[in-house]
């Protein structure tokens, strides 16, 4: 074999080896965990390659798109919206999403970020237009939930999953802010007046309750005293009935003696002038007491 024939044979073998190596190199695709590759054959969708080692047909199939499946955040945006009570607000929103079906994303939408931002802006204006300003401020969690649900439903055809859609802030113009501040101050003043009036009314109620309680206690005391007097009168009546008139005279004489004793026990009363009836009362009492003895 001549040198030229040897070189020709080796060149053919080398060319075959290079072709086989290139075919193997083009037929094997290693996809990272954070990506998915969209494969086309003659310009049409052939397959979507997942993470790991994948095989394609060399020279026929080609990787047309390398799509990251990591979560993405849209730039923070502000949308103007008008509430039902005609208040202009600026709503600051933040959206996070990720691509889960690249074959839909690359063939159905060109600018994903712009499409999602426009969708969020429209939904925010629509939802806030159904609410008053006070509801927007107090029901922000509910409003965020509605926006997230509607955005997720609208971008589903694009192979996108919205993981978070948050309302960061609701800003007002200076005129509206001043009006709200005046309203808040007026409401605070009204509440203070109502609290003061309720305190005075409660004080009057308590004073009336105290007077009523005192009157009830005095009435009870008078009733008890009347019951005692009635009982004493009943006892005296029974004694008169059983012992005759002497029992009554004895009680009267005893009361007279007790009264004279109280008069004599006063300070500076060394000299006591007694009427004739008093002396007779002493005599009657003494005789009665003696008779009792």
């Amino acid at each position: 074999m001549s040198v030229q024939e040897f070189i020709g044979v080796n060149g053919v073998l080398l060319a075959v080896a290079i072709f086989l190596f290139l075919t193997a190199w083009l037929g094997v695709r290693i996809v990272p965990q954070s990506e998915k590759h969209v494969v086309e054959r003659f310009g049409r969708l052939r397959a979507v390659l997942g993470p790991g080692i994948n095989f394609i047909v060399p020279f026929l199939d080609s990787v047309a798109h390398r799509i990251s499946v990591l979560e993405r955040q849209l730039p923070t945006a502000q949308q103007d919206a008008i509430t039902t009570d005609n208040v202009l607000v600026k709503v600051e929103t933040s959206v996070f999403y990720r691509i889960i079906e690249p074959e839909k994303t690359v063939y159905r939408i060109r600018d994903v970020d712009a499409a999602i931002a426009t969708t969020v802006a429209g939904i925010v204006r629509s939802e806030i237009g159904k609410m008053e300003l006070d509801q927007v401020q107090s029901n922000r969690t509910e409003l965020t939930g509605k926006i997230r649900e509607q955005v997720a439903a609208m971008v589903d055809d694009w192979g996108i999953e919205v993981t978070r859609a948050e309302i960061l802030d609701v800003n007002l113009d200076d005129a509206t802010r001043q009006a709200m501040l005046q309203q808040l101050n007026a409401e605070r003043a009204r509440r203070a007046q109502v609290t003061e009036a309720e305190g005075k009314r409660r004080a009057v109620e308590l004073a009336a309750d105290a007077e009523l309680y005192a009157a009830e206690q005095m009435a009870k005391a008078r009733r008890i005293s009347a019951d005692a007097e009635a009982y004493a009168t009943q006892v005296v009546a029974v004694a008169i009935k059983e012992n005759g008139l002497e029992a009554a005279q004895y009680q009267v004489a005893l009361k007279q003696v007790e009264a004279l004793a109280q008069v004599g026990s006063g300070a500076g009363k060394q000299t006591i002038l007694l009427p004739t009836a008093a002396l007779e009362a002493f005599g009657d009492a003494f005789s009665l007491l003696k008779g009792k003895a």
Side-chain angles (χ1 to χ4, degrees):
M1 179 181 295
S2 64
V3 176
Q4 292 180 351
E5 291 177 350
F6 179 77
I7 294 175
V9 172
N10 290 337
V12 172
L13 294 176
L14 181 60
V16 171
I18 293 174
F19 176 78
L20 293 176
F21 177 78
L22 183 60
T23 300
W25 175 261
L26 296 176
V28 177
R29 286 290 180 267
I30 299 177
V31 181
Q33 182 69 37
S34 60
E35 293 182 357
K36 287 185 178 181
H37 292 180
V38 178
V39 177
E40 294 180 352
R41 177 178 295 179
F42 301 118
R44 298 187 61 182
L45 175 65
R46 176 67 178 85
V48 177
L49 305 182
I53 299 177
N54 298 270
F55 299 95
I56 61 175
V57 178
F59 307 109
L60 297 179
D61 298 338
S62 62
V63 176
H65 305 279
R66 293 176 172 83
I67 305 299
S68 174
V69 295
L70 296 178
E71 188 173 6
R72 309 178 187 183
Q73 179 184 8
L74 290 179
T76 301
Q78 287 188 348
Q79 290 86 33
D80 293 336
I82 300 177
T83 62
T84 55
D85 48 353
N86 296 323
V87 177
L88 178 63
V89 296
K90 291 183 179 295
V91 183
E92 188 175 349
T93 59
S94 176
V95 178
F96 293 80
Y97 74 95
R98 63 189 184 94
I99 298 175
I100 57 176
E101 296 178 284
E103 64 275 17
K104 294 182 179 180
T105 306
V106 298
Y107 295 116
R108 293 186 179 181
I109 190 71
R110 179 181 296 275
D111 191 342
V112 177
D113 291 353
I116 297 177
T118 303
T119 302
V120 171
I123 293 175
V124 168
R125 292 191 182 98
S126 175
E127 290 298 323
I128 291 182
K130 302 175 184 177
M131 307 171 66
E132 294 183 354
L133 179 61
D134 293 340
Q135 294 176 336
V136 174
Q137 297 286 359
S138 60
N139 299 332
R140 186 176 299 183
T141 302
E142 181 181 354
L143 179 61
T144 300
K146 291 181 179 179
I147 293 174
R148 185 185 301 115
E149 291 177 0
Q150 294 190 30
V151 171
M154 295 188 69
V155 303
D156 183 64
D157 291 339
W158 301 338
I160 297 172
E161 178 187 12
V162 176
T163 56
R164 285 189 297 172
E166 303 291 340
I167 294 179
L168 301 180
D169 197 6
V170 178
N171 299 316
L172 306 173
D173 56 12
D174 293 338
T176 304
R177 189 178 294 108
Q178 291 296 329
M180 291 184 63
L181 182 59
Q182 293 178 359
Q183 181 181 3
L184 180 61
N185 292 334
E187 179 65 19
R188 288 177 178 174
R190 185 190 66 82
R191 290 181 181 179
Q193 293 177 357
V194 170
T195 303
E196 183 180 0
E198 289 180 351
K200 292 181 179 179
R201 185 189 67 179
R202 184 57 180 167
V204 172
E205 291 177 352
L206 292 176
D209 291 341
E211 293 178 359
L212 178 61
Y213 178 77
E216 290 177 352
Q217 295 301 317
M218 292 179 63
K220 289 181 180 179
R222 291 177 180 176
R223 184 170 62 250
I224 294 173
S225 178
D227 292 341
E229 292 291 340
Y231 178 76
T233 302
Q234 183 179 4
V235 171
V236 172
V238 172
I240 292 173
K241 183 178 180 181
E242 293 179 353
N243 301 321
L245 186 60
E246 293 182 355
Q249 292 176 349
Y250 172 77
Q251 291 293 331
V252 172
L254 184 60
K255 293 293 184 180
Q256 290 177 347
V257 172
E258 291 177 354
L260 290 174
Q262 291 180 358
V263 171
S265 63
K269 300 292 184 179
Q270 291 79 5
T271 303
I272 302 175
L273 299 177
L274 298 176
T276 305
L279 295 176
E280 294 177 357
F282 273 113
D284 294 340
F286 180 75
S287 61
L288 290 174
L289 291 173
K290 184 178 179 179
K292 290 291 181 179

